[in-house]
Amino acid sequence: MSERTLIDARGAFCPGPLMELIAALKAIEIGEEVEVLSSDKGSADDIPEWVAKVGHEMVGVEEKGDHWSVVVRRAK
Amino acid sequence: MSDKPLYILLVSGEREKLQMAAMTASVAAVSDRPTEVFVSMNAILSFKRGLPPEERYPEGGGFFAAQFAKASAKGGTPDAVDLLAQGRMLGGVKVWACAMVLDMLGWEDDDLTEDLFDGRLGLTKFLADAESGDLVSF
């Protein structure tokens, strides 16, 4: 299983969770993953768009009660 | 999203416009779109060095601005100046201060928010550069 960094961005509005994700991706190695917890629905929609645009890999998006878990693998 | 360079003229001192400009610039830049921001007129006042976040944005501006300020005060909304700094750090946003407005205010480069601006620039040069991309203003 890939190494995974957890970012708890619950309570932050767009584009806070995305910016936190990007900072975390820059700090890990290719193939490793970041899991972002976000209570912002817009970010749960936007992060996959961003991932597709820049060429990383979506592992999954899951709604967990009052927040979303978004997992991204660094691909480049 | 296009890869065409994005040029943002930021002139308003209204909080929601500063916020939207910072959001647009930072998200475009981290999405691999070359992005430059030219800060002039009232907008420059929010970039006075040393201003704490609670003093960066003017009061007033109507119903929405008041509601937005109230919601922002609760936390969770990224501060516009800090967001622009993040966009610069993570996505390479270039931020220029309008040379004319600095002269008008009698400000030097070190009167501006630290580590945010790439320098001072004239409008003519910015507009010439912007011919290669899309230009939006706030």
Side-chain angles (χ1 to χ4, degrees):
Chain A
M1 191 176 180
S2 306
E3 289 284 324
R4 186 175 286 183
T5 301
L6 179 68
I7 303 291
D8 189 348
R10 285 176 290 184
F13 295 114
C14 171
L18 173 64
M19 302 305 276
E20 290 195 45
L21 165 69
I22 294 166
L25 284 171
K26 282 181 181 283
I28 64 173
E29 302 293 328
I30 291 171
E32 293 180 358
E33 297 173 355
V34 177
E35 178 178 8
V36 184
L37 305 182
S38 174
S39 50
D40 178 52
K41 176 70 168 77
S43 294
D45 293 334
D46 277 354
I47 288 174
E49 288 289 331
W50 177 82
V51 169
K53 168 71 169 65
V54 302
H56 290 300
E57 189 181 333
M58 273 306 301
V59 177
V61 181
E62 190 180 348
E63 189 169 355
K64 292 185 170 180
D66 62 350
H67 68 278
W68 285 262
S69 161
V70 185
V71 182
V72 178
R73 184 177 298 128
R74 180 173 175 174
K76 61 178 189 177
Chain B
M1 192 183 287
S2 165
D3 289 330
K4 205 192 308 186
L6 179 64
Y7 294 86
I8 296 175
L9 267 174
L10 176 54
V11 296
S12 172
E14 294 174 57
R15 184 176 190 144
E16 65 266 37
K17 291 185 180 176
L18 289 160
Q19 188 73 23
M20 198 64 221
M23 289 171 66
T24 303
S26 58
V27 171
V30 298
S31 301
D32 295 340
R33 191 165 181 189
T35 304
E36 300 195 22
V37 181
F38 183 82
V39 185
S40 187
M41 303 302 171
N42 290 7
I44 202 82
L45 300 173
S46 293
F47 295 89
K48 175 76 175 168
R49 182 171 297 195
L51 271 186
E54 62 272 17
E55 294 176 21
R56 283 178 184 159
Y57 313 102
E59 292 181 4
F63 176 77
F64 179 78
Q67 295 301 309
F68 185 76
K70 198 173 161 186
S72 297
K74 288 183 190 165
T77 305
D79 176 83
V81 174
D82 294 343
L83 188 55
L84 206 48
Q86 266 190 317
R88 187 173 191 268
M89 184 174 66
L90 298 173
V93 176
K94 286 188 177 174
V95 186
W96 304 105
C98 170
M100 181 278 289
V101 85
L102 292 184
D103 288 345
M104 201 171 73
L105 292 168
W107 287 15
E108 300 298 332
D109 291 1
D110 59 9
D111 286 311
L112 295 165
T113 305
E114 202 165 9
D115 298 329
L116 178 63
F117 286 84
D118 289 87
R120 58 171 64 206
L121 196 69
L123 179 62
T124 305
K125 170 76 168 88
F126 184 78
L127 287 179
D129 292 347
E131 287 178 8
S132 66
D134 293 325
L135 177 66
V136 294
S137 64
F138 293 92

